[in-house]
Amino acid sequence: MDAQGRGRADDVDPADQWVLNPNTGEYELRLAPSTAQSSVAGPRGSGGRGTAGAAGARRTAPARRPAKAPGDETASPRRRTTAPADTAASRRGRRPVPKKAKGKKVLMWTGGSLAFVLIAASGAAYLYYEHLNGNITSVSDDGAGTGGFSKDRAINILLIGTDKRTGKGNEGYGDKDSAGHADTTLVLHVSKDRTNATVLSIPRDLITDIPDCPTTQEDGSKKVIPGQQRTRFNNSLGQEERTPSCTMRTITELTGLKMDHFMVADFNAVKTLTSAVGGVDVCLAKDIKDPDSKLDLPKGEHTIEGEEALAFVRTRHSVGFGGDLSRIQLQQQFLGSMLRKLKSNDTLTSPSKMVKLAEAGTKALTVDSQISTIKKLADLGAELGKFDTKNLTFATVPVDDNPAEKVKATVVLKEPQAQQLFAMVRDDVSLTDVKQQKKKEKAAEAARLKGTKAPASEVRVRILNGGAVAGSAQETLSWLQVQEGVTKSENAGNAEQPLAKTTLEYGPDQAGQARRLAAIMGLSGSAMKPGKSVTNSQGVPAMTLTLGKDFEGAGVPLTTPAKVPEDVQKATADKVECAK
């Protein structure tokens, strides 16, 4: 609690005030008779500040009703100003609610917590809406994102764990003045149909390019932070005053995935979230005593929280080969376990735990300004909570040791496995065996490839570069004309907007031409977009081929892999694995 009109932490614990009434299935404010006039923790500005009289005004102010979730037709929690006897009149009109209904009400408020550890705050948010809004810290995405998630498409969330040493709760870990790095980076992709999700772990020591980053300064002014070539990925945050929006841009350049939102957690977030949920269960295949992270645990199963949980996710010298890649697997195990804990009945049906999670989550995380309110976080949480944990797959981007180094300290992408994995995520292909798309959609895509094909000499197509390497349109034009006989083709320059995936748009009477070009290019049915033709430079109707960021060169098939490459390390969130 702060001092901005929210009440005093030593006076009131919000978790103790809101109680599930077994007769109505609703949460009610329960106050002891001696404190019947005290206020519940409420929005900033709900009382005066700074004087004894103002403090007294806060204590006598009426409690404010929590805001209702949109679409929730249940009554708002009722407020008591006294402790009346339970008379027949007071009972009149009450109708008992069946047990199933009570569970449903709880789930309606806690659905957001099912999604992922960093969305845990969403579920109980409406208990004291404006108070939690005041907890949230947000930073501009500087135009690096999509502008916000949508219910009718896949969702991509960038989750960053920073090793920032400044700020309350982060002291005592190495360089106290460090601005931090993108120490742990996860890309959460939730499928369009919400049946499955993938979490990609990006190694912090991956050598990549950081693009120029337009950044909003604290005073509201704009500044472009110059990019950096061939550097560690973790330098995309904190260094040179880079903000999370720069990490978003770096991820997009690396994977071709456009991020919808970002969330950043520091050391303190791990401690407070694990304590709020009552601890996380982990398993060790051997004793670990790491003087660097201060983790000291014998082999076997343990429930950890607070400082011990932080030590667990930070340790690396005592697991696997002692490097960051081994630590990534440990962190994936930890997150999977925490997700299972969040989905357990012990958490979902405990109002006090949900309130503590809401407090911890909103205080510990920094989010982008597109989701800087409880309402928006709850809407996002509702979408992210729809998939089953058995269909949440953790995967580490495949890498090799940097061949340019004698003493191995950094890694580079392992090709072509890395690009195949990125393509699967971009194209919404599940890494588990879950049925990902409706049969009707799959049948429609497959049908686009079936039927007669026009001769290559009759194919008319305009080629645009929509995010591929510079010169790709001309390279493809030459290849089509010289080697494939598609002579009625032309280079139309750059597309207005970059695309992650190569597409072929064609009119109703050009299906035969489209099937021929798809066969030549190795396009999948999902890349073919029935639409309308355009007029080429000769004034004749033509198709439009836009080369996206997935384009790897003329003659390289663009069909998305159906299976995960063998060298990709992956695990699902529903399985318990012991760290080695």
Side-chain angles (χ1 to χ4, degrees):
M1 295 284 189
D2 60 28
Q4 300 180 16
R6 295 185 184 129
R8 296 185 305 172
D10 56 345
D11 286 345
V12 177
D13 182 353
D16 295 332
Q17 288 186 298
W18 292 99
V19 180
L20 184 66
N21 187 324
N23 294 320
T24 66
E26 301 168 1
Y27 285 93
E28 298 181 359
L29 181 63
R30 298 289 178 86
L31 301 177
S34 61
T35 58
Q37 299 301 320
S38 299
S39 66
V40 65
R44 286 180 292 184
S46 61
R49 34 175 114 152
T51 66
R58 279 201 304 275
R59 286 193 296 270
T60 58
R64 183 166 182 168
R65 295 186 182 184
K68 291 192 296 183
D72 186 354
E73 298 301 328
T74 60
S76 299
R78 289 186 289 276
R79 174 173 53 91
R80 288 189 186 178
T81 55
T82 61
D86 188 10
T87 64
S90 67
R91 293 192 300 268
R92 195 175 303 130
R94 293 187 182 180
R95 288 182 297 176
V97 179
K99 291 184 179 180
K100 288 186 178 180
K102 287 187 284 185
K104 183 177 180 181
K105 290 176 186 290
V106 174
L107 290 174
M108 287 173 66
W109 281 3
T110 61
S113 69
L114 307 185
F116 201 69
V117 53
L118 297 181
I119 311 293
S122 301
Y126 289 105
L127 292 177
Y128 47 123
Y129 182 95
E130 293 184 22
H131 163 68
L132 293 181
N133 271 339
N135 287 345
I136 298 172
T137 299
S138 65
V139 178
S140 174
D141 71 355
D142 297 310
T146 62
F149 76 96
S150 175
K151 293 183 179 181
D152 60 356
R153 58 178 170 80
I155 298 175
N156 295 312
I157 310 292
L158 174 61
L159 308 170
I160 306 173
T162 176
D163 58 355
K164 182 178 180 180
R165 263 70 175 183
T166 58
K168 185 177 180 181
N170 300 314
E171 312 93 338
Y173 305 101
D175 181 5
K176 65 178 181 180
D177 298 320
S178 172
H181 302 76
D183 194 53
T184 298
T185 303
L186 307 167
V187 175
L188 169 63
H189 172 86
V190 182
S191 67
K192 178 180 178 181
D193 63 8
R194 308 295 188 257
T195 62
N196 65 94
T198 299
V199 176
L200 290 182
S201 291
I202 312 294
R204 67 174 190 179
D205 297 323
L206 174 66
I207 295 298
T208 188
D209 295 337
I210 299 175
D212 292 344
C213 299
T215 306
T216 302
Q217 304 298 294
E218 289 186 4
D219 62 2
S221 62
K222 302 287 184 179
K223 175 183 177 181
V224 177
I225 300 175
Q228 191 173 356
Q229 305 297 307
R230 307 299 296 165
T231 186
R232 276 181 167 90
F233 174 86
N234 67 352
N235 288 326
S236 64
L237 178 69
Q239 308 308 296
E240 308 299 330
E241 299 182 335
R242 295 187 178 101
T243 65
S245 66
C246 193
T247 308
M248 287 182 92
R249 296 183 193 278
T250 305
I251 285 290
T252 299
E253 289 290 323
L254 178 69
T255 67
L257 287 164
K258 188 86 167 180
M259 296 293 102
D260 294 301
H261 301 288
F262 66 73
M263 296 183 179
V264 183
D266 58 15
F267 292 137
N268 198 46
V270 176
K271 294 185 289 185
T272 57
L273 285 171
T274 53
S275 295
V277 80
V280 175
D281 300 327
V282 297
C283 180
L284 298 177
K286 63 178 182 180
D287 298 346
I288 292 183
K289 190 168 186 176
D290 184 355
D292 292 321
S293 71
K294 298 181 175 57
L295 180 66
D296 186 359
L297 287 175
K299 70 176 182 179
E301 297 180 355
H302 304 275
T303 300
I304 58 176
E305 62 178 274
E307 290 286 352
E308 197 168 48
L310 178 60
F312 183 86
V313 298
R314 291 184 66 219
T315 190
R316 59 190 177 97
H317 298 303
S318 301
V319 292
F321 295 104
D324 184 54
L325 295 179
S326 297
R327 183 175 65 169
I328 284 176
Q329 295 182 38
L330 200 71
Q331 292 170 343
Q332 290 175 348
Q333 178 207 132
F334 177 85
L335 291 172
S337 178
M338 190 163 190
L339 178 59
R340 292 192 298 272
K341 187 66 173 286
L342 286 169
K343 291 195 69 172
S344 69
N345 288 333
D346 287 345
T347 301
L348 287 177
T349 59
S350 171
S352 61
K353 282 188 178 180
M354 294 311 301
V355 169
K356 289 176 182 177
L357 276 169
E359 287 284 346
T362 53
K363 288 179 180 178
L365 304 177
T366 296
V367 301
D368 67 90
S369 53
Q370 304 291 343
I371 48 171
S372 59
T373 68
I374 292 299
K375 170 65 169 63
K376 292 179 180 178
L377 280 172
D379 288 345
L380 176 60
E383 291 301 305
L384 301 184
K386 293 179 179 178
F387 60 83
D388 194 308
T389 52
K390 69 180 180 181
N391 295 326
L392 170 61
T393 306
F394 292 99
T396 304
V397 173
V399 294
D400 283 323
D401 288 332
N402 189 347
E405 296 175 335
K406 290 184 178 179
V407 177
K408 304 305 180 184
T410 62
V411 294
V412 296
L413 290 180
K414 185 172 187 176
E415 305 293 8
Q417 290 90 336
Q419 296 307 323
Q420 291 171 347
L421 180 60
F422 295 154
M424 291 183 72
V425 178
R426 284 195 306 265
D427 292 347
D428 215 15
V429 177
S430 174
L431 302 193
T432 64
D433 294 330
V434 66
K435 178 182 175 183
Q436 185 210 2
Q437 290 179 310
K438 296 179 180 179
K439 289 183 178 180
K440 182 183 271 188
E441 292 178 3
K442 281 191 172 184
E445 290 178 359
R448 294 168 195 164
L449 298 172
K450 296 179 180 179
T452 58
K453 300 180 181 67
S457 59
E458 294 181 8
V459 174
R460 290 187 176 87
V461 61
R462 297 168 69 251
I463 305 169
L464 296 171
N465 190 327
V469 175
S472 294
Q474 186 58 43
E475 176 193 359
T476 302
L477 175 67
S478 299
W479 174 70
L480 287 175
Q481 290 184 338
V482 176
Q483 297 189 39
E484 301 298 332
V486 184
T487 55
K488 297 176 182 178
S489 51
E490 64 182 34
N491 183 348
N494 293 325
E496 293 183 3
Q497 297 291 334
L499 297 178
K501 181 180 176 182
T502 297
T503 62
L504 175 62
E505 185 175 3
Y506 56 95
D509 58 346
Q510 296 173 317
Q513 295 182 45
R515 285 190 283 267
R516 174 58 64 190
L517 189 59
I520 293 172
M521 296 285 298
L523 296 176
S524 64
S526 62
M528 299 174 68
K529 307 296 181 184
K532 60 182 180 179
S533 61
V534 294
T535 302
N536 63 13
S537 59
Q538 305 299 316
V540 180
M543 301 182 295
T544 300
L545 175 66
T546 305
L547 305 177
K549 293 182 179 180
D550 61 339
F551 182 78
E552 298 180 11
V556 179
L558 287 165
T559 304
T560 303
K563 295 183 178 181
V564 183
E566 292 184 0
D567 294 333
V568 174
Q569 176 273 324
K570 68 185 185 76
T572 53
D574 63 322
K575 295 180 180 179
V576 179
E577 297 185 10
C578 295
K580 300 178 181 180

